Amino acid sequence: MSKIQFLNLGKQPITNNFLTEQNPINEFFYDLNIVYDENTKIVSLESFVLPEKMFNDTYAHMASMSITMRESNKILSENIIKRFNPKSVLEIGSNDGIMLENFAKQGIKHLGVDPSANVVEEAIQHGVQSIVSFFGDESSENIKVNYGTADAIISANVMCHLPDLNDIAKGAFNLLNDKGVLIFEDPYLGSMLEKVSYDQIYDEHVYIFSALSTSKIFGSHGFELINLVPQETHGGSMRYVFAKKGQRQVEPQVQAIMDHELLLRFDHSDTYSQFKENCEKSKIRLIQILEDAKKAGKSVAGYGATSKSTTILNYCGIGPDLIDFISDTTPIKQNKVTPGMHIPVQSYEYFKENIPDVIILFAWNHANEIIEKEKSSIDKSVEWVTHLPDFQLNL
Ligand code: TYD
């Protein structure tokens, strides 16, 4: 058997399924088991939740809600334009057009492809040409006929959501011009292992990529990894740049990072057993912090009803008994309860009027932006915590 199961994060609900009713009957739960595949070197969910259950017309994640993401998408777009000068760009999982608007503004031919109708509508309103569709080998053929081929295919924080990577790779190869590039960035396995950020794992994040695994999978469809660029976004990500084999020069960084991954034993199961232990310790620590706060009569609120928080709350069994409410700026999440554990989600305005004694920062990947925004108005006595054992908050 090539797949080794190394972590069980328990029964989990659909991450972005914020609920309007308390304790709804029939809430969907699945077993969140994580496996390491010895053949492809990839870390993934053991079984995949049907995409239709997650990405639909009420999808709650609006990419443009975060300034950090808006800026990082702008930098990536500028970088692609400068480095590759594409005349046509396609984005897989274009959400509300946060990335492609940078190309649209420059008059570059573009097309966004996203399965969620509500976000596509937003994108079109922002002047970004977009269609409602899943991306794959079959849809690539329709896109080719109706919109033409692409010099660049981009995907930011989406590729790791797509269960059938072989189908995506085939579709991308079919649509790309010979000198074209496939560029995607996603949370990086190395960062997850180092930070113990197991909350990167949830129904939508089917894979946690590394250089070793992506080069293996996309390499088997005619692609070659030509560059790797580590990123700060999403708590530590990696940008993977692929070209058709032999079409472009391979940067030395590729070998350097692969060697580093081998040195850190990403290709050995003992690495994942250690990670499991670290997750268990993190769970015990977080519950202890919250129980101590409760015993001391302190109020506790979460900051950011992130997708990631769903994994933490359901893995640790933390509900409204330990966290009074979670603040989130996304209107579609507000006045609802979180998936699975049913903690009320309140608006940012509510949070400002009800500053708790302890804030658990679930949007820890936006820590700098958030601390900068809050530090002058929130009292120094307020305690900020995360579930990450060694995370430094610059208060
Ligand atoms: P995101 O970083 O995309 O994390 P995930 O992929 O785990 O959902 O989402 C950040 C969430 O945090 C989003 O729901 C908006 C919320 N948020 C705030 O409420 N306030 C803030 O200042 C920021 C930056 C985010």
Side-chain angles (χ1 to χ4, degrees), residues 96-331:
D96 56 7
I98 182 174
M99 174 87 71
L100 284 180
E101 67 180 9
N102 301 303
F103 294 90
K105 275 183 200 148
Q106 302 237 4
I108 296 171
K109 188 180 160 203
H110 62 274
L111 180 69
V113 184
D114 198 294
S116 298
N118 62 330
V119 292
V120 164
E121 213 169 282
E122 281 280 321
I124 292 169
Q125 274 169 23
H126 295 157
V128 173
Q129 176 166 241
S130 309
I131 54 168
V132 181
S133 172
F134 283 100
F135 183 83
D137 196 22
E138 202 181 309
S139 61
S140 78
E141 208 39 57
N142 298 335
I143 293 168
K144 205 171 176 178
V145 170
N146 294 310
Y147 302 92
T149 54
D151 287 338
I153 297 182
I154 334 170
S155 186
N157 299 301
V158 168
M159 194 64 86
C160 72
H161 293 61
L162 308 174
D164 195 347
L165 290 178
N166 293 309
D167 189 48
I168 303 292
K170 280 186 210 158
F173 197 88
N174 182 28
L175 260 186
L176 266 191
N177 292 322
D178 283 351
K179 288 276 176 199
V181 282
L182 166 66
I183 303 171
F184 56 90
E185 53 186 58
D186 289 280
Y188 179 52
L189 178 67
S191 308
M192 184 183 86
L193 296 178
E194 188 195 329
K195 294 187 169 130
V196 200
S197 47
Y198 65 85
D199 51 330
Q200 294 291 6
I201 304 168
Y202 50 89
D203 50 5
E204 294 179 22
H205 283 183
V206 175
Y207 299 105
I208 307 291
F209 292 141
S210 63
L212 289 174
S213 62
T214 53
S215 62
K216 188 106 184 161
I217 291 165
F218 286 84
S220 66
H221 293 281
F223 283 108
E224 183 171 36
L225 190 53
I226 61 161
N227 204 4
L228 289 165
V229 191
Q231 306 292 316
E232 290 289 323
T233 45
H234 280 283
S237 300
M238 184 67 81
R239 180 180 306 158
Y240 305 88
V241 184
F242 284 89
K244 292 190 171 179
K245 235 167 232 158
Q247 292 287 349
R248 284 184 179 267
Q249 190 190 323
V250 178
E251 300 297 329
Q253 173 93 327
V254 172
Q255 196 53 53
I257 291 183
M258 293 239 219
D259 287 346
H260 190 63
E261 290 185 355
L262 292 170
L263 187 76
L264 294 177
R265 297 173 66 81
F266 286 12
D267 57 339
H268 285 78
S269 61
D270 54 358
T271 302
Y272 303 102
S273 313
Q274 181 60 55
F275 179 68
K276 175 192 183 223
E277 269 181 42
N278 295 343
C279 292
E280 285 163 354
K281 280 186 202 150
S282 154
K283 174 179 178 171
I284 293 167
R285 174 183 163 274
L286 182 63
I287 294 171
Q288 192 69 55
I289 291 173
L290 296 176
E291 283 180 351
D292 288 351
K294 201 87 234 170
K295 269 186 218 139
K298 292 179 180 171
S299 55
V300 180
Y303 197 115
T306 57
S307 316
K308 294 185 287 291
S309 68
T310 298
T311 297
I312 302 172
L313 297 168
N314 287 277
Y315 170 57
C316 299
I318 295 168
D321 51 326
L322 291 176
I323 297 182
D324 307 329
F325 69 92
I326 302 181
S327 157
D328 200 287
T329 50
T330 317

Side-chain angles (χ1 to χ4, degrees), residues 342-377:
H342 306 166
I343 298 171
V345 181
Q346 300 288 0
S347 67
Y348 181 60
E349 292 68 35
Y350 179 94
F351 169 79
K352 292 301 262 187
E353 281 162 19
N354 297 276
I355 300 290
D357 301 314
V358 180
I359 299 172
I360 167 158
L361 183 57
F362 289 122
W364 57 271
N365 49 312
H366 301 290
N368 291 342
E369 174 183 338
I370 292 169
I371 300 294
E372 200 47 49
K373 185 165 69 177
E374 305 295 356
K375 72 177 172 198
S376 58
S377 61

